[in-house]
Amino acid sequence: MADGTGLETDRAALLARYDLDAGGFRTLDQITDFAAALCEAPIALVSIVEEERQRFLARTGLDAEETSRDVSFCAHAMHGSDIFVVQDASADPRFAANPLVTSAPHIRFYAGAPLLNGEGVPLGSLCVIDDKPREDLTPVQRQGLFLLARQVMVELEGRRRDQDIIARQVKDAEAVAESDRLFRTLADTMPQMVWSTLPDGYHDYYNARWYEYTGVSDGATDGDGWNGTFHPDDQERAWQRWRHSLKTGEPYEIEYRLLHHSGEYRWTLGRALPIRDDEGRITRWIGTCTEIHEQKLMMEEREIIAHELSHRIKNIFSVIAGLIGLSARQNPAIRVAADDLRDRIMALGRAHDFIRPHSIETGEDMQQGRLHGILEQIFAPYNDAGGNRIILSGENPAIDDRSATPLALLFHELATNAAKYGALSVSQGQVRIDVQREGADICIEWREEGGPPVKPSDREGFGSRLMQLSAERQLGGRMERDWRPEGLRISLRIPFRSMSRAKVEMA
């Protein structure tokens, strides 16, 4: 939209009073961050519309600092009294050919709240943008965007020059009071329990949902009274975590049992983040409490089922190994092959026992979920009282149920062969295993020392094929053998992604 020449001249003079070129809009950056989160939009902007351009005083999710005014959505939004919404810009004749629609950032949905100064003069817009069409904002999001737009103006009005200091202080105080009132209104509409504290951690505000959920009287949990609503077994832990956050400024997050108005303790997730001023000092903490009781119970039920299922699978391995042993006793001709097969099945059983659900104590003792842990389980029969004959060094990457089985088979075969023909077949022999991360791969070197001279076999046996299958087919890696006179050396290169799904996602 275009303004008259005289009005635009007046607006230019007015904008100069805000000293926008001085920068220092950290508070506005926090507002756009919150607006994007509140409205679940990838982009949020504080846009000031000038005669030839629109400049972004604060931006979340966008690198550009300004655009020309003729492509500005905010030039439309700032002239209304309500939130200006474009559901799908590509289908709107006003914007379909706009370069901000046809190219990056590919605007589809736009919602902007006008920024009006105390005299009602439009300065720009606080807007949120999505690259996907949407119907509208929710009522809470609309109210929140209006509230945040007012807070933007509180910040900008505080920068106006050539005003009477006392009048400005009164106006700011009134704006803060109005902002606080609107914040409380917005917080009371949320389904979560919301609270805030002073920088020292003194709780001075809870929304209506808190009192409705806990049933405590108004003000009963101010100060440190909140801890009395926690389960006695959780109180000290919650205090320690809260003191740590107050001391360090780190986000607060903890699960605890909160007393419901019914008299039952229900599992709750508590979170809090600090609000900081331009100097980085914490001015307030804002926190929420979210009930997770049903989810917690479901997780406990799944864990019980997983334990029971895993125990039964372990029993199956034992039964199969027993049947093989019985068959070997009844038919001595197959004893050697049966013993090898039984040992392999027991290696699989140890791998399963390693990665199945355990208690925290057992998991820590077994290095559960790590390569060294499963190798120690596989190699336990080959170490004697004189010390470890198989020495592990290097990194200790995470593994999961997908990689544990082929790893167990692979290293069981290596250890068995070393015990029959290699370094472990003599008392002074040793095996050294070194694990290193190289780029996207885990590199494992198996080095036998002190054993009898070895020669490559003329034919590839079942064990060799099993190792090749485990390393290359199941783990997607490569295995190379080097038959040295001083002992066999094997180099394994396994993709890191094949070791553990969870760790790949984290990386």
Side-chain angles (χ1 to χ4, degrees):
M1 292 184 179
D3 294 328
T5 303
L7 183 57
E8 276 302 311
T9 301
D10 292 341
R11 286 186 73 255
L14 176 64
L15 290 174
R17 298 177 60 190
Y18 287 93
D19 197 20
L20 301 180
D21 293 327
F25 296 102
R26 182 179 299 176
T27 301
L28 298 187
D29 290 334
Q30 295 174 348
I31 289 175
T32 57
D33 288 346
F34 187 69
L38 174 68
C39 298
E40 299 177 336
I43 297 175
L45 306 169
V46 172
S47 172
I48 299 298
V49 180
E50 300 177 351
E51 184 175 2
E52 300 293 338
R53 65 173 180 171
Q54 64 172 351
R55 70 161 80 181
F56 306 133
L57 302 186
R59 58 194 188 278
T60 296
L62 186 70
D63 292 330
E65 297 180 353
E66 63 180 54
T67 69
S68 62
R69 177 169 174 164
D70 58 0
V71 298
S72 170
F73 284 59
C74 297
H76 296 258
M78 72 179 185
H79 290 290
S81 58
D82 196 1
I83 291 181
F84 178 75
V85 174
V86 178
Q87 296 176 336
D88 185 354
S90 65
D92 191 315
R94 296 170 296 178
F95 305 106
N98 191 307
L100 300 180
V101 176
T102 59
S103 58
H106 300 287
I107 297 175
R108 293 298 180 267
F109 177 78
Y110 172 95
L115 299 177
L116 307 177
N117 74 352
E119 295 77 34
V121 178
L123 305 183
S125 169
L126 169 64
C127 67
V128 293
I129 294 170
D130 202 335
D131 58 1
K132 299 178 181 61
R134 292 164 59 172
E135 289 294 327
D136 201 350
L137 299 177
T138 68
V140 171
Q141 289 170 340
R142 294 178 71 93
Q143 185 180 13
L145 200 61
F146 261 125
L147 167 62
L148 294 173
R150 293 193 182 189
Q151 195 62 37
V152 170
M153 288 311 306
V154 169
E155 175 70 9
L156 294 181
E157 290 297 322
R159 302 170 67 94
R160 287 181 64 169
R161 300 173 299 179
D162 305 325
Q163 290 191 28
D164 180 82
I165 295 178
I166 297 177
R168 185 179 63 190
Q169 289 177 340
V170 171
K171 186 174 183 179
D172 286 349
E174 292 175 348
V176 170
E178 175 67 6
S179 177
D180 182 65
R181 183 186 69 82
L182 291 173
F183 167 77
R184 290 170 181 263
T185 301
L186 177 63
D188 283 343
T189 65
M190 296 180 65
Q192 292 174 304
M193 293 167 271
V194 180
W195 48 271
S196 70
T197 80
L198 300 177
D200 62 1
Y202 182 91
H203 287 66
D204 62 351
Y205 169 74
Y206 298 89
N207 71 341
R209 175 61 177 158
W210 167 267
Y211 293 107
E212 174 190 337
Y213 186 89
T214 61
V216 300
S217 58
D218 193 8
T221 48
D222 287 356
D224 58 5
W226 56 272
N227 199 243
T229 61
F230 289 11
H231 192 283
D233 293 343
D234 300 335
Q235 291 180 10
E236 182 57 31
R237 181 170 56 90
W239 261 120
Q240 290 178 356
R241 189 72 57 84
W242 180 230
R243 290 192 191 102
H244 176 77
S245 293
L246 292 177
K247 181 179 179 180
T248 62
E250 295 177 4
Y252 173 75
E253 181 168 335
I254 187 173
E255 294 180 3
Y256 52 81
R257 287 160 290 184
L258 181 64
L259 184 62
H260 188 255
H261 65 77
S262 65
E264 176 189 13
Y265 284 101
R266 301 182 68 82
W267 281 102
T268 305
L269 173 62
R271 288 174 171 164
L273 291 173
I275 296 178
R276 301 178 185 270
D277 61 17
D278 291 342
E279 304 300 322
R281 294 185 296 265
I282 295 176
T283 60
R284 181 163 286 276
W285 287 82
I286 300 294
T288 61
C289 302
T290 307
E291 185 189 298
I292 57 171
H293 193 70
E294 298 301 327
Q295 298 94 308
K296 194 80 172 179
L297 295 181
M298 289 175 61
M299 289 176 62
E300 291 175 354
E301 290 176 0
R302 284 199 297 267
E303 184 175 353
I304 292 172
I305 294 172
H307 274 282
E308 179 63 22
L309 209 61
S310 182
H311 181 70
R312 297 192 180 201
I313 292 173
K314 183 182 179 183
N315 288 342
I316 291 174
F317 281 118
S318 299
V319 170
I320 294 174
L323 290 174
I324 293 172
L326 179 62
S327 298
R329 287 193 296 272
Q330 293 177 346
N331 190 353
I334 66 169
R335 178 176 295 277
V336 174
D339 287 345
D340 285 344
L341 179 58
R342 183 182 58 198
D343 289 345
R344 288 170 179 139
I345 290 175
M346 294 309 296
L348 291 176
R350 287 193 292 273
H352 169 76
D353 191 54
F354 179 78
I355 54 89
R356 72 183 176 91
H358 289 269
S359 67
I360 294 176
E361 294 79 8
T362 305
E364 290 176 349
D365 292 342
M366 297 175 62
Q367 298 189 59
Q368 188 177 4
R370 294 283 171 179
L371 178 62
H372 285 197
I374 193 171
L375 293 183
E376 289 170 359
Q377 294 291 307
I378 297 299
F379 299 148
Y382 302 96
N383 291 318
D384 53 35
N388 290 342
R389 303 187 59 197
I390 302 179
I391 302 170
L392 301 175
S393 64
E395 298 191 29
N396 189 14
I399 62 173
D400 61 13
D401 57 321
R402 182 177 58 177
S403 60
T405 298
L407 287 170
L409 286 174
L410 173 62
F411 284 99
H412 168 76
E413 292 298 324
L414 288 173
T416 299
N417 290 339
K420 290 180 178 179
Y421 318 111
L424 300 182
S425 66
V426 295
S427 60
Q428 68 272 23
Q430 285 187 329
V431 175
R432 297 184 181 273
I433 302 173
D434 184 62
V435 183
Q436 299 296 333
R437 173 82 183 265
E438 295 183 8
D441 294 333
I442 293 293
C443 296
I444 305 174
E445 183 180 78
W446 170 284
R447 187 171 70 251
E448 298 185 24
E449 301 173 347
V454 294
K455 295 181 180 180
S457 175
D458 294 332
R459 65 184 184 86
E460 186 178 45
F462 176 75
S464 297
R465 292 196 299 273
L466 183 61
M467 288 191 292
Q468 207 78 27
L469 176 66
S470 298
E472 298 182 357
R473 295 286 185 86
Q474 294 183 276
L475 293 172
R478 298 194 307 275
M479 183 176 71
E480 296 180 357
R481 298 183 184 90
D482 184 2
W483 301 89
R484 300 188 178 186
E486 63 272 19
L488 173 65
R489 288 196 178 185
I490 291 183
S491 296
L492 291 168
R493 182 175 287 269
I494 301 172
F496 183 69
R497 64 177 183 275
S498 297
M499 302 293 283
S500 172
R501 294 182 292 265
K503 293 299 178 182
V504 169
E505 292 168 1
M506 290 176 63

